[in-house]
Amino acid sequence: MNKILSKEQFSEKVFCIVVEAPLIARSCRAGNFVIVRVDKNSERVPYTIAKADPEKGTLTMVIQEVGLSSTKLCNMEPGEEVLDIVGPLGQASHIENYGTVVCAGGGIGIAAILPILTALKKAGNRVISVLAGRTKELVIMVDDVAEYSDEVIIMTDDGSMGKKGVVTVGVEEVLQREKVDKVLAIGPPMMMKFTSLMAKKYGIPNDVSLNTIMVDGTGMCGACRLTIGGKTKFVCIDGPEFDGDLVDWDEMFKRMGTFKNVEREELERKST
Ligand code: FES
């Protein structure tokens, strides 16, 4: 059991929670994730680790209410306990001094990119962060990102914060302006696809962090399998980061929709 220590509401459906998980907090690295089971009736849901505090033994996660289990987790209060947290899972991000790196984060993907851009900055990179959301409420953790960025560009669909436009507009502004050595994108699949295509257009190596459906998180069930560069890969053990140029995006979108109807029916059943 892992106790929730604090909870903060970022927007209508997005919450930041801090949980007790000392062993994971001590051993996780940028890019790792965890799988949380809220109670014995909940699915196992993967969440990225926004921050880990090895001394306090805590993990900070940003959760968006999208399905039954994430909604249950968002409804829990400090003092309550989740059934279990498994991790750290996945391959840690490859961190080196590339030179100038553009880190594009969309929505709660900003929480996932935070530890990676922090590690990239500590490795000596010039980090330019492009944060995007539909409205200003969905552009989260700006101060945390700014602490480890040389520049922060904010894009919102409605222009309520920063510049009006989608993330690729902000990314292209940088790519046209200066030499960039690497692009990293984390956010909704469509945002990652188009950021990756934008980087490819400029001939810049780019990575994306894929958020497929997962079950066991250990490479056994096959739920997270995708085709990367023509080969079958498991996001939970081979990823979650992959070369964006090699991702079969059509397959990714298809697999993301696999359980949508089941999830919707289950949510409707529970709310009636
Ligand atoms: Fe089961 Fe990846 S979640 S193989």
Side-chain angles (χ1 to χ4, degrees):
M1 302 286 272
N2 301 76
K3 193 192 276 184
I4 297 176
L5 300 175
S6 67
K7 171 175 148 183
E8 185 185 346
Q9 186 161 10
F10 278 172
S11 65
E12 192 198 342
K13 288 185 180 294
V14 178
F15 293 81
C16 177
I17 63 167
V18 178
V19 286
E20 238 171 25
L23 294 178
I24 302 173
R26 263 181 244 133
S27 55
C28 73
R29 287 159 59 207
N32 286 142
F33 66 95
V34 290
I35 287 187
V36 179
R37 205 158 43 125
V38 175
D39 55 39
K40 63 181 178 19
N41 297 319
S42 299
E43 325 99 295
R44 298 160 191 273
V45 181
Y47 296 109
T48 47
I49 302 164
K51 294 182 201 172
D53 187 328
E55 272 152 37
K56 290 188 186 146
T58 60
L59 301 179
T60 302
M61 299 185 293
V62 176
I63 320 281
Q64 184 166 22
E65 283 184 20
V66 282
L68 206 55
S69 296
S70 56
T71 303
K72 266 189 201 168
L73 184 51
C74 291
N75 286 336
M76 292 178 81
E77 295 300 334
E80 292 187 271
E81 292 176 328
V82 297
L83 184 61
D84 53 50
I85 301 180
V86 179
L89 297 169
Q91 301 293 325
S93 302
H94 177 76
I95 303 294
E96 65 172 67
N97 190 346
Y98 296 102
T100 298
V101 184
V102 170
C103 293
I108 62 163
I110 297 170
I113 214 165
L114 173 64
I116 304 171
L117 69 85
T118 302
L120 287 167
K121 181 69 194 157
K122 287 180 179 169
N125 290 282
R126 170 169 153 75
V127 173
I128 302 172
S129 297
V130 182
L131 308 183
R134 273 182 286 116
T135 64
K136 67 174 185 220
E137 290 77 25
L138 300 173
V139 181
I140 59 172
M141 306 185 105
V142 177
D143 291 344
D144 292 302
V145 169
E147 195 179 339
Y148 291 98
S149 301
D150 294 275
E151 181 183 353
V152 180
I153 296 169
I154 294 175
M155 306 294 305
T156 47
D157 291 4
D158 64 355
S160 54
M161 188 179 187
K163 295 178 187 166
K164 188 169 180 196
V166 292
V167 70
T168 44
V169 174
V171 171
E172 188 161 33
E173 181 187 310
V174 182
L175 302 188
Q176 284 178 339
R177 184 185 76 189
E178 62 184 280
K179 179 178 172 292
V180 170
D181 301 286
K182 182 97 180 165
V183 172
L184 175 68
I186 308 185
M190 201 58 89
M191 169 266 177
M192 291 193 283
K193 174 183 174 178
F194 283 103
T195 307
S196 170
L197 289 176
M198 172 69 66
K200 191 177 181 184
K201 184 172 118 184
Y202 286 83
I204 300 167
N206 64 91
D207 288 342
V208 293
S209 181
L210 301 180
N211 43 359
T212 50
I213 292 160
M214 290 191 193
V215 179
D216 64 341
T218 62
M220 303 291 282
C221 72
C224 67
R225 74 181 181 281
L226 281 179
T227 309
I228 310 284
K231 295 196 180 113
T232 299
K233 297 277 178 188
F234 296 106
V235 175
C236 66
I237 52 169
D238 299 317
E241 274 170 49
F242 295 99
D243 180 338
D245 292 349
L246 302 181
V247 175
D248 180 339
W249 291 104
D250 290 343
E251 183 194 39
M252 166 88 185
F253 292 123
K254 215 154 105 200
R255 292 190 65 81
M256 291 293 293
T258 306
F259 297 104
K260 277 231 167 81
N261 289 341
V262 179
E263 180 83 39
R264 195 170 40 239
E265 280 164 22
E266 190 64 6
L267 265 172
E268 280 164 9
R269 197 172 63 77
K270 296 273 161 138
S271 60
T272 51

